[in-house]
Amino acid sequence: MTLEEKVAQLIQGDMGGWMNFADPLDNTLTHNQTGLEEMMRLKGGSIWAGYSSTFEKFVYGVTVGQKYLLEKTRLGIPAFIQSEGLHGFTNNGTIWPSPISLACSFNRDLLQAAAKTISDEAEGLGVNHLFAPVLDLARELRFGRVEEGYGEDPYLTGEMGKAYVTGLQAGARRNTSSTAKARVAATCKHFAAFGTPQGGLNLGQVSGGERELQTTYVRPFAKACKDSLSIMTAYSSYDGIPAVSNKHLLTDILRNQIGYNYWVTSDAGAVDLLHTFHQVSSGREEDAKLAVENYSGEMGGGTYTFLTLVDQVKKGKVDVKYINKSVEYILRAKFSLGLFESKFHTYN
């Protein structure tokens, strides 16, 4: 792979770059070819697709994108097609009670069955990557996202999170070989300690020590997420260190202690926050350097700081070994889904 191809794998693109989803009821099956080609050149590793649309138009957009990657690019690497599925498939799918309500059932088998319906509906439309479950603990009730998780208890959260990951990923996509390990990739989030921010504010810092981190906040992820094909980092800082650039959290604990071996991505716009909010870097280039050196990819929603990585490597500011390892993680997740075998024509 060229350096440019590697970096493109690490950045999230957007299906809105070649499709017009302004009117959810519009069913015009057309796309912007120039926008498609430019999107896949720069940000072709994963594609945000959480749009309200007719099913026919949505499948058309997914098919156009994957077909282009498979047939018109040098390496033919398919993309993660991403949406939300916290308690139901966002793209007009079946909706279940919120996660904190699902946790009140204390019924892992029931949650696993519900998660399976989410992957059933997502797979049929070509979505292969969902941003759930949330394993943040509800210990700060001023936090506005309490309903997204499974409550305050790390044991219950780990058990319910494991049931969700199993239900979503179990089985294999259609037309894949026996080497495929999952149907739809889960995303455990937000690693770690995101749910108890100071003042209940979404980006607020979380204060605590190593014992609390390990026994309370990391515990649900260690239980539920070792086999999850992706993990999303938190917006917040823990003990003053932003999660997206926290070597102790992302390398020492996640990679070495837990043994996690798949894809890690930032939350939307989170890499930019290293200089605009946390103020631990000098700007976009250092933002990207700090994040990729902890083997994280970059979600959209910001200024796409990872676009600076090609020049930074050429100038000797960033060691290419970090990019190589990050690409290894995302490709491992894609092979585990059987994306190189499961063709676009299976969508319905």
Side-chain angles (χ1 to χ4, degrees):
M1 297 177 71
T2 67
L3 179 58
E4 289 79 6
E5 289 167 338
K6 293 173 184 177
V7 171
Q9 282 296 306
L10 306 183
I11 306 175
Q12 182 196 49
D14 193 311
M15 198 155 73
W18 67 89
M19 296 293 295
N20 183 355
F21 291 117
D23 180 0
L25 300 180
D26 176 68
N27 199 40
T28 304
L29 305 184
T30 186
H31 68 280
N32 183 322
Q33 184 65 24
T34 302
L36 172 67
E37 294 175 9
E38 186 69 0
M39 184 67 66
M40 297 312 190
R41 183 178 72 85
L42 297 172
K43 310 162 191 171
S46 55
I47 300 295
W48 170 247
Y51 288 99
S52 181
S53 169
T54 66
F55 288 153
E56 185 179 15
K57 182 174 179 179
F58 183 85
V59 168
Y60 171 84
V62 172
T63 302
V64 165
Q66 295 286 48
K67 188 178 177 68
Y68 178 82
L69 287 171
L70 288 165
E71 297 181 357
K72 302 297 183 180
T73 61
R74 189 176 72 90
L75 298 175
I77 300 174
F80 277 141
I81 304 296
Q82 303 168 321
S83 188
E84 300 283 357
L86 189 61
H87 57 107
F89 182 44
T90 297
N91 300 59
N92 299 318
T94 304
I95 301 299
W96 300 101
S98 60
I100 200 166
S101 299
L102 293 169
C104 290
S105 71
F106 294 88
N107 190 326
R108 290 167 292 195
D109 293 339
L110 185 63
L111 178 55
Q112 184 173 324
K116 182 181 182 301
T117 68
I118 297 171
S119 60
D120 286 343
E121 295 173 353
E123 185 196 356
L125 296 179
V127 172
N128 53 45
H129 189 192
L130 294 175
F131 296 143
V134 168
L135 303 182
D136 306 324
L137 301 180
R139 297 188 167 205
E140 169 52 87
L141 296 185
R142 292 173 295 180
F143 184 50
R145 304 177 66 175
V146 166
E147 78 284 354
E148 294 183 32
Y150 299 113
E152 67 180 355
D153 183 67
Y155 176 79
L156 177 62
T157 296
E159 292 295 315
M160 300 304 276
K162 177 68 173 178
Y164 181 96
V165 171
T166 301
L168 193 75
Q169 294 193 164
R173 303 179 69 79
R174 284 165 285 184
N175 297 336
T176 58
S177 70
S178 59
T179 60
K181 298 179 181 178
R183 294 177 63 202
V184 173
T187 308
C188 290
K189 60 183 188 179
H190 305 86
F191 194 74
F194 182 54
T196 54
Q198 189 175 72
L201 301 176
N202 193 44
L203 304 183
Q205 68 154 346
V206 178
S207 299
E210 183 68 13
R211 181 172 181 272
E212 187 175 11
L213 177 66
Q214 293 277 5
T215 62
T216 302
Y217 298 118
V218 170
R219 187 178 173 189
F221 288 90
K223 174 66 178 181
C225 306
K226 188 172 182 179
D227 294 324
S228 174
L229 294 185
S230 69
I231 285 177
M232 186 185 296
T233 56
Y235 282 123
S236 57
S237 63
Y238 187 82
D239 198 23
I241 304 175
V244 74
S245 63
N246 190 327
K247 180 181 182 296
H248 179 56
L249 191 63
L250 297 181
T251 301
D252 298 341
I253 295 177
L254 182 60
R255 298 297 187 185
N256 298 334
Q257 178 182 310
I258 296 176
Y260 187 70
N261 210 26
Y262 294 105
W263 174 236
V264 172
T265 181
S266 75
D267 207 336
V271 180
D272 284 277
L273 295 178
L274 289 172
H275 82 274
T276 63
F277 181 75
H278 298 293
Q279 298 184 23
V280 298
S281 88
S282 58
R284 293 176 67 243
E285 287 192 356
E286 191 174 2
D287 293 343
K289 173 180 168 66
L290 289 171
V292 81
E293 287 180 351
N294 285 284
Y295 309 111
S296 173
E298 183 175 32
M299 188 181 285
T303 65
Y304 297 101
T305 69
F306 274 34
L307 291 175
T308 69
L309 287 175
V310 172
D311 285 341
Q312 289 199 73
V313 171
K314 291 178 178 179
K315 293 176 182 178
K317 295 181 178 180
V318 173
D319 193 324
V320 73
K321 71 179 182 181
Y322 296 110
I323 294 173
N324 290 343
K325 194 65 177 178
S326 299
V327 172
E328 176 186 321
Y329 287 132
I330 192 170
L331 291 182
R332 178 178 291 115
K334 290 181 177 182
F335 275 110
S336 295
L337 282 172
L339 295 189
F340 291 85
E341 308 162 42
S342 181
K343 301 302 182 182
F344 47 84
H345 68 260
T346 62
Y347 308 155
N348 59 55

